[in-house]
Structure formats: structure tokens, C-alpha cells
Amino acid sequence: MTIVPAGSFGWLALHELRLAFRSRATRGAARWIGYLLLASWLAIGCLTGWALRHTPIPVPPEAMIGVLAVSVLGLTFMTAQAMIGSQRTLYERGDLPLLLSAPIPGRSVLLAKLLGIAATIALTYAALLLPIVLPVAIFGHPRLLGLVALLIALALVAAALGLALTLAIARLVGPRAARTVGQVVAAVLGGALFLVTQLLPHDEGRTGTFAALFDRLRAARIGTSGISALPGHAALGDPFAILVVLGVGVAAFAAAGATLERAFLSGFLDGSATVSRSRPSGRASGRLFHPGLTRTVFAKEWTLLVRDPALAFQIVLRLIYLVPLFLGLVGGRHALPIPAALAFASVLITSQLVGSFAWLTVSAEDAPDLLSVAPVARAQVDRAKLLAAFAMAAPFALLFPVAIGVQTLAGAAITLVMTVLGGGAAGYIELKLGKPGKRGAFNKRRSGSIVAGILSLLVALAFGGGAAGLVFLVTGGIAVP
């Protein structure tokens, strides 16, 4: 006997919530490690709550500004997560075709899916926030329960924004490119606030831009008065502010269900289509086959990486956080770059990229069984895969050596050699320790071997440190002002 009627929105919502909790669950030893970490975090929260049970918690203006800043930052990351969740809902095989073919209103399906996305987002942050907040609130500071309401409101707004952005991208670039462009936009959105704060000008003598930005917000009274103060008041238990932020979240959620139903159904139907945009030319054989095994495997791996850049961009766009580092070293307070630091960064970044792309060529292999039984040397296949990984990472590998060449050509040559050696070693580790798998199942497991990751990082640090030391000796360790 069900609590709610089958096929209703409540029934679908409970189903999506179960799926959200199930998707966060782990198996085996990882589950018990997670339980142990969660229990430890909860124990810290209980001790903190017991220690603060009779101590009033002050609320300075800085705390209000901090809540606003964290809310905005969290909203950007949540929206990026919602975009990825929306893309999986629309473009990956799941229960959506069955639900839409059932006698269930499309709006109920949309709202249930949207609620599942919001729940998945909220669970990520609830695991970090609630084990600390709930004990402190229970032991004597119940007003902190407003943080739970703020988290729910942010998750609802982020889910609505993520779905709207995903559907808008699908309308602009078409269903084929929507997933790739959407993942790029999601990654950029996730790091956009960090980039903005790092690229803002700051006062002389400060160690970073966050302090300068905080001072500007405090001077403009942003976060302490007016609408901008609502997140802070809600987090600290103000009933009116809680009602307002929850109302905004529910309104955004309901508006998405009311206005995006047709676009959602259209996006699903377009994404399910498999019509090819290319016309048969009769010259496929000449285009797909190349003389020599190395050229053939290289062309195959390069084509797959370029054809499905969503997988590659998930790795490449991690570099967005390194843009401020590069700009800060090349310009800003220094008229010329710092060669040793750039050399270390070059080896570290390139080796990680080459290793990631090499892991991608192994873990997302289309025909692992065919390669394993083919009468060809495994070393030759691995060499071709490593060359493809190097080719994809080449633009990033050349970035820092070119910057170093402004000061010293010898340092640039040393950096380039050490970058190639470090990248080759990291890629070789991933090729040898990676587990081949079919590309169709790649989306279900996106993490590589922990041992390979540790070894690749050690190799990057070793070669990066060597490059930095050699360049330091060549330049005499003097930064030109």
C-alpha cells in the first residue's frame, strides 16, 4: 500500500528522491570509509555544539557578508551541478522514455526530475554542513536551523537555473552539440566566480584579492542591509527572511515546471534522435585507414577525443583555476615572469593532462577485446595512444615554455624537455595501470586508479622540481623587476 497514488507527482517525487539517495551510495570498503568519516564529522559537531551550548554566538557584519559570499559561490557550483544533471536526464538512457510514454502529465515528470536534481545537489552540501550545524542547533542555538532552509532554497533555485540554461543551450546550438557546450559552460560557470575574484585589481601590499573584495562589499553595505542581507538573516534564523528565501526557491522551482515543459519534451525528443548530419561520400575507406599501425591508432584516438570533447573538456577545464596563476606570474606585480615557478607549473600541468588523456584512451576504449587479441605489439598500440594524448595536451605544454623564453631561452628549452619527460612518464603510468573498458560504459565511472594517480602526481612533482631547480640555476634565481 502506497502513501501517495501511483503516477502522481508525490509518487514520482519519492521515486526520484530514492534514486538521488541511491546515486550517492557507495559499495564495499568505500561505503564503510564514508560512514567512518561521516561519524567522525558528526562527533566533531556534537563536541562543538556541547562546548557552545551556553555561549552566545555573535553576529558581526562580517558574518553576514560571509554568508552572502558563500551563498553566491555555492549557487554557482550548484547551478553547474544542475546543468550536468539536466544533461544526463535528457541525453543519457534512463527511465525518462518510460515515464513520458506512461499516462502521466509531462509537467509532473518534469517537476519530479527537477526535484531529483535539487535533492542530489543538496545532499552533496548537506553531508558537509548538517553534521556540524544540527548538533550546534540542537544543543542551544536553534536559530542556526535557518542554514538548512537556505540550503534548500539554493538547491531549488540552482536546479531551475541549471535546467533553463541546459535547454537554452540545446535551442541555440542544437541537440548534438548541446551536451558538449553545456558541460563547457557548466565548468566555466563553476569557476567563474573564482576567476573574477582573482582577476580583480587589488591594493598594493595585499596578499590576495579576497580581502580587497570583502572590503568593497563592507563599504557598500552589501550583505548587511537590504535584499542582499536576506541570506545572512535567513541563515541566522530570522523567520521573515526564511520565508522569503524559501518562497523564492519554491517560486523558481514552480516557474521552471510551468514554463519549461514544452522545451523539456522537445529537448528530450531531439536528443533521442540519431540522424547523421554527414552525407555518404563513398570515400570512407581512404579516410579511416592509414598506412602503419601507429598512424591508424593515433588517428582513431585523436578522432574519438575530438568527436566526443565532452570527456576531454571535463579534464581540460580544470585548468580554469590555473589561469590566475599564469597571469599573476607573467604580469601583474612582476614585469617579467618567474622562470622557476613557471617551469614547475609547466611540468605539473602537462604531466597531469597527458596522464588524464592517456587514461581516457584506455578507460574509454571502443574495442578493448579486439586490441587484446589482435596480432600486434601492445607497446606499439600504447605508443600511439600516448602520442594522441600528447597531441591533445600540446597547446598547454607550450604555454609556459613560451613565457619562460621571454627571459631565458635556455630555461625554456630545459622546461620543454622536462615537460615532455614528465608528461611521458605520467602517460606511461596510466597506460600500464589503467583498466580498459568500453566507451559506452565510461560515463558510469569517471575516476581512474588511485595508485596510478598517486604515482603520476609523484612523477609530476619530481620532474617539476627538477625543472624548477635547473631553471633556477640557469637564471641565477633572480627575478627581473
Side-chain angles (χ1 to χ4, degrees):
M1 180 177 180
T2 58
I3 301 176
V4 292
S8 63
F9 168 71
W11 182 79
L12 291 173
L14 290 176
H15 171 68
E16 292 297 328
L17 291 176
R18 283 195 297 268
L19 291 179
F21 278 98
R22 192 178 301 170
S23 66
R24 310 303 298 179
T26 55
R27 297 180 179 180
R31 171 186 296 181
W32 295 107
I33 293 175
Y35 288 158
L36 179 61
L37 293 176
L38 185 61
S40 302
W41 193 234
L42 182 60
I44 294 174
C46 292
L47 292 175
T48 304
W50 182 259
L52 297 176
R53 65 189 186 281
H54 298 308
T55 303
I57 299 178
V59 186
E62 290 78 8
M64 301 285 290
I65 300 175
V67 171
L68 176 63
V70 172
S71 298
V72 174
L73 181 64
L75 183 62
T76 59
F77 283 111
M78 288 180 176
T79 303
Q81 288 181 264
M83 291 184 66
I84 296 175
S86 300
Q87 293 160 17
R88 292 176 181 173
T89 300
L90 286 171
Y91 305 127
E92 293 184 5
R93 294 184 180 274
D95 59 356
L96 191 57
L98 179 63
L99 292 176
L100 293 178
S101 63
I104 301 175
R107 182 174 300 179
S108 298
V109 175
L110 169 59
L111 288 175
K113 289 294 181 183
L114 199 59
L115 184 62
I117 293 172
T120 302
I121 296 171
L123 284 174
T124 303
Y125 298 90
L128 299 174
L129 181 67
L130 297 188
I132 297 294
V133 172
L134 289 182
V136 176
I138 293 173
F139 281 119
H141 300 281
R143 295 176 65 87
L144 290 181
L145 292 175
L147 285 169
V148 180
L150 181 60
L151 176 62
I152 295 174
L154 290 175
L156 292 175
V157 173
L161 289 176
L163 180 61
L165 289 173
T166 300
L167 295 176
I169 291 172
R171 178 66 62 87
L172 290 175
V173 302
R176 288 184 175 273
R179 186 172 180 180
T180 299
V181 176
Q183 291 193 0
V184 173
V185 172
V188 173
L189 180 63
L193 190 62
F194 175 80
L195 278 179
V196 169
T197 56
Q198 291 298 305
L199 298 178
L200 284 175
H202 56 278
D203 300 332
E204 292 294 333
R206 290 195 179 273
T207 57
T209 58
F210 289 106
L213 180 61
F214 190 85
D215 290 342
R216 292 190 183 99
L217 293 176
R218 182 169 53 186
R221 303 193 64 183
I222 296 176
T224 57
S225 63
I227 297 177
S228 64
L230 284 175
H233 288 303
L236 297 173
D238 186 342
F240 175 75
I242 291 176
L243 289 177
V244 171
V245 296
L246 282 178
V248 171
V250 173
F253 182 82
T259 60
L260 300 178
E261 178 182 357
R262 179 172 297 181
F264 178 77
L265 297 177
S266 177
F268 167 72
L269 294 176
D270 293 341
S272 301
T274 57
V275 180
S276 175
R277 294 184 297 181
S278 61
R279 296 180 180 180
S281 61
R283 295 178 294 177
S285 298
R287 186 172 67 251
L288 298 178
F289 293 93
H290 303 270
L293 176 65
T294 300
R295 288 186 59 184
T296 300
V297 176
F298 175 87
K300 172 249 187 186
E301 295 295 344
W302 175 263
T303 302
L304 288 178
L305 288 173
V306 174
R307 182 186 299 169
D308 194 4
L311 301 177
F313 271 120
Q314 288 181 4
I315 301 171
V316 173
L317 286 177
R318 297 174 187 173
L319 299 176
I320 191 171
Y321 296 100
L322 297 172
V323 172
L325 169 65
F326 177 76
L327 295 179
L329 291 175
V330 173
R333 291 173 294 176
H334 305 280
L336 291 176
I338 303 176
L342 288 176
F344 180 81
S346 176
V347 178
L348 181 64
I349 295 170
T350 304
S351 60
Q352 292 295 298
L353 278 177
V354 174
S356 297
F357 287 130
W359 164 72
L360 187 62
T361 62
V362 174
S363 300
E365 173 59 60
D366 271 334
D369 297 335
L370 180 61
L371 288 179
S372 63
V373 300
V376 296
R378 173 68 183 273
Q380 195 172 2
V381 176
D382 289 344
R383 184 164 57 249
K385 288 177 176 287
L386 187 58
L387 288 175
F390 255 115
M392 184 64 73
F396 305 96
L398 295 175
L399 184 63
F400 288 96
V402 170
I404 294 174
V406 176
Q407 287 193 40
T408 166
L409 293 178
I414 292 173
T415 301
L416 187 59
V417 171
M418 297 298 285
T419 297
V420 172
L421 293 177
Y428 183 80
I429 290 172
E430 292 290 349
L431 289 175
K432 291 303 179 182
L433 298 182
K435 297 180 179 179
K438 294 183 179 180
R439 201 174 192 84
F442 178 77
N443 288 332
K444 296 181 181 179
R445 55 177 186 88
R446 299 178 182 270
S447 58
S449 169
I450 297 178
V451 176
I454 294 175
L455 291 178
S456 298
L457 181 59
L458 293 177
V459 165
L461 294 176
F463 281 94
L470 291 175
V471 173
F472 184 85
L473 294 176
V474 170
T475 59
I478 299 175
V480 181

